[in-house]
Amino acid sequence: MSIQQNLLHIKSTLPEHVTLVAVSKTKPVPDLMEAYNAGQRIFGENKIQEMVDKWEQMPKDIEWHMIGHVQTNKVKFMAPFVSLIHGVDSLKLLEEINKQAKKNNRIIDCLLQIHIAEEETKFGLDQEELTALLTSPTFQEMKNIRIVGLMGMATFTDNQNQIKKEFLHLKSIFDGLSSKDGLQSVSTLANIKSLSMGMSGDYQLAISCGSTMVRIGSSIFGGR
């Protein structure tokens, strides 16, 4: 099946409220253009330099999502154009994004990454760190970022029950935030709408657990 056929097939299986991020990391521009020509406008990259290169070459109505781990010193390269940064896992990183967004006269949307997997290698905040970040004076003063939701990655396992448990855990944190429990002072929470969880192997399960945004690469573009 072609990239276009894969894309249209996946889109036909997604509920209306779920956003598809086409994970295009390591794929060449012609592959992305095939998806673009089939109607896809949201692409996810995990390396900032690669995303910048593609942004320069491709149509400007594309939304670029940074889905990889972000190094603070590279934020400035994507600040002029990035639409959404998925993996924000520290106040320090948020401060840098805020600073670079201000330089570019922009407000940059961010998702806070929550650690839900059993693997130690995955990045993310736990629930206490999340609350501490959102209630910190430093965060309250940031005017050039907008927290629009949460993101998480489940453990890499075939155990569907474990993945489901992790997704539901993230959904409960998300629900707690969107209902503003105990965080009345945080006006930003009005923007919390996106829950980014689920990839090629588990996106159907993620959607059934409440995901509103799925990151799909290999099922669209083929293996890496």
Side-chain angles (χ1 to χ4, degrees):
M1 294 229 299
S2 67
I3 289 171
Q4 181 175 2
Q5 287 170 312
N6 290 340
L7 184 71
L8 296 176
H9 169 68
I10 288 166
K11 282 195 164 171
S12 71
T13 68
L14 295 180
E16 262 180 35
H17 69 278
V18 175
T19 302
L20 171 63
V21 180
V23 178
S24 48
K25 60 185 186 184
T26 75
K27 295 296 175 185
V29 167
D31 286 14
L32 277 70
M33 283 307 301
E34 196 180 323
Y36 177 89
N37 291 330
Q40 182 63 19
R41 291 293 180 273
I42 302 176
F43 292 90
E45 292 284 333
N46 70 340
K47 291 196 166 65
I48 291 175
Q49 192 51 56
E50 187 180 339
M51 185 167 75
V52 171
D53 293 344
K54 288 174 177 173
W55 169 70
E56 286 170 350
Q57 295 174 58
M58 291 182 65
K60 294 300 175 268
D61 60 340
I62 291 172
E63 276 188 35
W64 293 99
H65 288 203
M66 180 61 196
I67 58 170
H69 186 65
V70 180
Q71 292 168 293
T72 325
N73 61 343
K74 298 214 170 128
V75 171
K76 58 179 177 281
F77 299 115
M78 64 174 170
F81 68 90
V82 69
S83 289
L84 182 64
I85 301 174
H86 282 235
V88 179
D89 58 2
S90 71
L91 192 57
K92 181 171 162 269
L93 179 55
L94 265 185
E95 285 182 87
E96 183 63 22
I97 295 168
N98 187 65
K99 182 176 123 185
Q100 297 300 336
K102 192 173 182 179
K103 281 187 185 171
N104 286 276
N105 203 14
R106 296 187 67 212
I107 292 172
I108 295 179
D109 287 347
C110 299
L111 299 176
L112 294 173
Q113 183 168 356
I114 307 300
H115 188 284
I116 54 171
E118 284 189 357
E119 296 135 295
E120 284 305 305
T121 53
K122 295 271 197 308
F123 298 100
L125 305 155
D126 63 27
Q127 212 157 351
E128 284 171 21
E129 291 167 333
L130 174 68
T131 306
L133 186 153
L134 290 173
T135 50
S136 73
T138 312
F139 173 75
Q140 309 272 347
E141 284 162 19
M142 293 183 195
K143 299 281 184 281
N144 291 77
I145 49 139
R146 184 165 45 211
I147 302 297
V148 295
L150 302 178
M151 179 270 238
M153 294 167 84
T155 302
F156 191 70
T157 171
D158 291 331
N159 182 339
Q160 294 296 303
N161 289 332
Q162 185 180 346
I163 295 171
K164 185 176 181 180
K165 194 180 89 187
E166 291 169 0
F167 282 157
L168 290 173
H169 175 55
L170 182 56
K171 175 73 164 86
S172 71
I173 296 175
F174 177 78
D175 290 342
L177 272 189
S178 22
S179 65
K180 302 188 177 57
D181 289 348
L183 289 171
Q184 306 312 48
S185 63
V186 185
S187 56
T188 45
L189 296 186
N191 299 313
I192 300 267
K193 296 181 180 67
S194 298
L195 181 56
S196 171
M197 60 184 192
M199 300 190 285
S200 285
D202 56 19
Y203 73 93
Q204 299 283 19
L205 179 58
I207 291 169
S208 72
C209 293
S211 173
T212 68
M213 186 177 281
V214 292
R215 309 179 297 273
I216 300 179
S218 51
S219 300
I220 298 174
F221 296 106
R224 294 219 148 49

